[in-house]
Amino acid sequence: LDVTAERQMYLQEREHERQLVETNEAIRRYDQQLSYLLEECKMFVWTYDPKTDLVHFSRKPHVDEYTETLNQFMDGVPEKFRAAELIKMREHIAKQEPFNVIHQYNFTPLQNEPCWFSLGGMPEFDANGQLVDFFGMARDITQLMAAQEKLRQETERAEDSGKLKSAFLANND
């Protein structure tokens, strides 16, 4: 009885199983590293489904930390900017082009205090060229915005000080 072909199939199957285990382990490590980076950098991965109007956010791959409609997502934006910012977001989605925006929020689902987020989005299309969804990164830039505001205030203070010095020197001549 010649079992050479069967043995070859058995060996190939074992090799495929080994490769599958290696691949799954590599994916697990990648997911773990990505989760760490997202959390430490105060970043979220997000997807937006235009059919359901739902935005899904997560700091972990393959897990939705929270989901809300686009309108709910914009509820945290200060009221005087909310309508305009929502229109801008809907225009970006309608254009089906990559975008980057910065939003100020009074609150988010994970924070009950004012914060700033930078959102970058990229459309994904199916094989027929139809929009499937948008995906992107949301990064908490609250500390950066605070540093910019402090720099603006210090620059203004320095300019005022320079004007006072000039006036003083002009009066003493």
Side-chain angles (χ1 to χ4, degrees):
L1 203 63
D2 187 9
V3 292
T4 306
E6 290 174 10
R7 176 156 173 68
Q8 189 63 27
M9 282 179 36
Y10 171 76
L11 293 173
Q12 284 178 343
E13 184 178 324
R14 294 217 3 139
E15 177 60 18
H16 288 148
E17 286 177 14
R18 185 192 64 74
Q19 289 174 351
L20 186 60
V21 167
E22 278 182 12
T23 301
N24 284 335
E25 179 58 24
I27 290 170
R28 187 196 63 75
R29 278 193 319 272
Y30 173 77
D31 284 352
Q32 188 177 33
Q33 291 168 348
L34 182 59
S35 294
Y36 172 78
L37 291 173
L38 290 171
E39 191 145 339
E40 290 300 310
C41 294
K42 296 183 177 184
M43 295 176 78
F44 292 84
V45 175
W46 64 268
T47 58
Y48 170 73
D49 183 345
K51 291 179 205 88
T52 62
D53 195 41
L54 292 176
V55 185
H56 307 277
F57 287 88
S58 181
R59 286 174 287 194
K60 296 173 176 42
H62 320 295
V63 175
D64 288 341
E65 279 189 66
Y66 66 94
T67 298
E68 55 192 6
T69 67
L70 190 56
N71 285 355
Q72 290 170 325
F73 170 65
M74 299 302 285
D75 280 348
V77 173
E79 193 169 340
K80 66 182 180 180
F81 304 119
R82 189 176 306 142
E85 294 298 326
L86 183 57
I87 288 169
K88 261 198 281 188
M89 289 293 288
R90 295 233 182 254
E91 286 173 352
H92 288 300
I93 292 164
K95 288 179 185 175
Q96 299 182 3
E97 296 177 346
F99 67 88
N100 286 295
V101 294
I102 293 176
H103 290 150
Q104 177 184 11
Y105 293 89
N106 290 330
F107 62 88
T108 70
L110 300 178
Q111 294 173 233
N112 286 327
E113 62 221 18
C115 57
W116 290 84
F117 274 86
S118 170
L119 296 138
M122 182 78 144
E124 285 188 300
F125 301 95
D126 65 16
N128 299 321
Q130 297 298 310
L131 178 66
V132 176
D133 63 15
F134 271 81
F135 75 95
M137 300 293 289
R139 184 170 58 115
D140 185 338
I141 59 168
T142 305
Q143 290 178 335
L144 174 64
M145 297 303 281
Q148 283 183 342
E149 177 60 20
K150 185 175 180 178
L151 179 61
R152 187 195 63 75
Q153 290 173 356
E154 290 298 321
T155 301
E156 197 174 280
R157 192 173 66 84
E159 288 171 355
D160 289 346
S161 179
K163 289 176 187 173
L164 288 173
K165 180 181 174 185
S166 295
F168 176 77
L169 291 174
N171 287 336
N172 287 331
D173 281 341

